[in-house]
Amino acid sequence: MTQHTPRTAVTVTGLRKSYGDHVVLDGIDLEIPAGTIFSLLGPNGAGKTTIVKILSTLISADGGRAGVLGHDVAEDPDAVRAAIGVTGQYSAVDGLLTGRENLVLMARLNRLGRARARSRATELLERFDLADAAGKPASTYSGGMRRRLDLAMTLVGEPRLIFLDEPTTGLDPRSRRDMWQIIRELVADGVTVFLTTQYLEEADQLADRIAVLDHGTIVAQGTAAELKRRVPGGHVRLRFAGADALESAARTLGGEADPEALALDVPGGGGVASLRHLLDRLDAASVTPEELSVHTPDLDDVFLALTGHRNADDNARKVNR
């Protein structure tokens, strides 16, 4: 019998959580399609980890409803746990055990038989490029290798939804990009990824949809492109061969001139229609730019506009929730 996979991996309605007088989540609504990467952004203390803990059944909510892969989190937590995997911010790898022993231990905890546990460990060691280090203690692994092993342990039970809580924290740029490729491959295989991250570039590169959480509420949701369009500051930069052409373009288009760079910044989103109109106006004025580039706000600009913080790594507001 073929197992039915819900089209929606996560559904959250009116989710609330408080610790004493401190409201951590104040009516959260989310809907995450299956087989996608969803990224939750927010300053430290905004409630990101609390949402992950509720959805993974580690803590209970004070109000609202949450469903994971068709199972109610409060009413059927065992079914939720059987369907998900969680890779936390800090590695769960046992440094005294070898890479293979870590995976076999996790397989046995998932109630796989001895033979299947060994074969599953071998599969994952090969998939995550850890086969050559399989017999070495995990304490000797690099940060990137430990993170790959940690994720491999999460995949032992073949979950359909994986919570990745800041999975690339502390990794060098190459290891971070290796992890990004692994995440993309998981989603290509039909797995849903719920990603929390401090790296805005990471969300921009990976996420199909992004939600920004601040002070316990969702302040914006959408694709990276949709969120960027909400923030002013996009412009078209034109470069010219000489000062006369720059001055003529400035008279025609307005904008902000940079005489030293022989460049003109013209406000605009850079859409095809607006670019065509801009170039038509320059043609009518017999002005030809040497170069043209479109500059749009990035997620850092979005984050600043929505939360008042330059980026998600705002340690001054860090709360251990």
Side-chain angles (χ1 to χ4, degrees), residues 154-217:
T154 301
L155 295 177
V156 163
E158 300 184 79
R160 305 313 299 162
L161 169 65
I162 300 175
F163 294 96
L164 300 180
D165 191 7
E166 302 184 23
T168 63
T169 297
L171 297 186
D172 61 76
R174 180 174 180 177
S175 296
R176 183 172 298 130
R177 283 169 173 75
D178 289 343
M179 183 63 72
W180 290 356
Q181 184 57 36
I182 290 170
I183 293 170
R184 292 187 182 103
E185 291 170 358
L186 290 173
V187 175
D189 290 339
V191 175
T192 305
V193 173
F194 187 115
L195 171 72
T196 71
T197 179
Q198 298 284 7
Y199 299 106
L200 302 182
E201 181 192 7
E202 189 161 87
D204 204 356
Q205 288 284 332
L206 294 176
D208 297 295
R209 289 189 66 80
I210 297 169
V212 181
L213 182 69
D214 191 34
H215 293 91
T217 62

Side-chain angles (χ1 to χ4, degrees), residues 1-314:
M1 181 177 179
T2 302
Q3 185 177 4
H4 173 67
T5 301
R7 292 184 178 180
T8 302
V10 175
T11 304
V12 173
T13 306
L15 201 65
R16 298 180 181 277
K17 182 67 178 180
S18 298
Y19 293 96
D21 295 333
H22 177 51
V23 178
V24 180
L25 302 177
D26 190 12
I28 301 297
D29 297 326
L30 292 173
E31 186 168 307
I32 304 172
T36 64
I37 301 176
F38 172 82
S39 182
L40 185 62
L41 302 178
N44 282 317
K48 302 186 301 297
T49 299
T50 299
I51 292 178
V52 171
K53 286 182 177 180
I54 292 172
L55 293 177
S56 58
T57 76
L58 294 176
I59 62 175
S60 60
D62 297 332
R65 296 184 66 86
V68 171
L69 297 171
H71 307 290
D72 187 281
V73 170
E75 297 177 0
D76 200 0
D78 289 342
V80 172
R81 293 179 194 126
I84 67 172
V86 180
T87 297
Q89 182 177 353
Y90 303 103
S91 174
V93 170
D94 188 328
L96 298 178
L97 301 179
T98 66
R100 183 180 299 279
E101 288 169 341
N102 269 284
L103 287 166
V104 170
L105 173 62
M106 185 59 66
R108 296 294 286 156
L109 291 173
N110 275 267
R111 300 181 180 179
L112 274 63
R114 291 183 183 276
R116 178 54 183 151
R118 289 194 295 269
S119 65
R120 182 65 175 149
T122 298
E123 292 170 10
L124 291 167
L125 287 166
E126 293 175 352
R127 178 175 183 177
F128 287 86
D129 195 24
L130 293 170
D132 290 344
K136 298 178 181 178
S139 60
T140 66
Y141 287 13
S142 67
M145 292 171 67
R146 287 176 67 90
R147 260 337 223 168
R148 296 203 304 275
L149 178 59
D150 200 23
L151 183 53
M153 291 169 65
T154 301
L155 295 177
V156 163
E158 300 184 79
R160 305 313 299 162
L161 169 65
I162 300 175
F163 294 96
L164 300 180
D165 191 7
E166 302 184 23
T168 63
T169 297
L171 297 186
D172 61 76
R174 180 174 180 177
S175 296
R176 183 172 298 130
R177 283 169 173 75
D178 289 343
M179 183 63 72
W180 290 356
Q181 184 57 36
I182 290 170
I183 293 170
R184 292 187 182 103
E185 291 170 358
L186 290 173
V187 175
D189 290 339
V191 175
T192 305
V193 173
F194 187 115
L195 171 72
T196 71
T197 179
Q198 298 284 7
Y199 299 106
L200 302 182
E201 181 192 7
E202 189 161 87
D204 204 356
Q205 288 284 332
L206 294 176
D208 297 295
R209 289 189 66 80
I210 297 169
V212 181
L213 182 69
D214 191 34
H215 293 91
T217 62
I218 299 293
V219 295
Q221 290 191 63
T223 65
E226 288 169 346
L227 293 179
K228 291 173 187 177
R229 285 197 292 269
R230 296 180 55 162
V231 178
H235 64 273
V236 177
R237 167 156 281 215
L238 302 162
R239 293 186 185 275
F240 300 90
D244 291 344
L246 172 61
E247 291 173 4
S248 297
R251 285 195 301 269
T252 301
L253 302 175
E256 184 176 346
D258 182 350
E260 291 187 5
L262 293 176
L264 179 68
D265 292 339
V266 181
V272 173
S274 64
L275 285 176
R276 184 180 292 117
H277 178 63
L278 182 150
L279 292 174
D280 286 344
R281 292 173 65 189
L282 288 176
D283 284 342
S286 300
V287 179
T288 302
E290 293 287 301
E291 296 178 13
L292 181 152
S293 57
V294 178
H295 298 258
T296 58
D298 58 21
L299 280 185
D300 194 64
D301 297 316
V302 173
F303 199 86
L304 174 64
L306 294 174
T307 70
H309 298 279
R310 172 52 61 184
N311 57 51
D313 191 14
D314 180 13

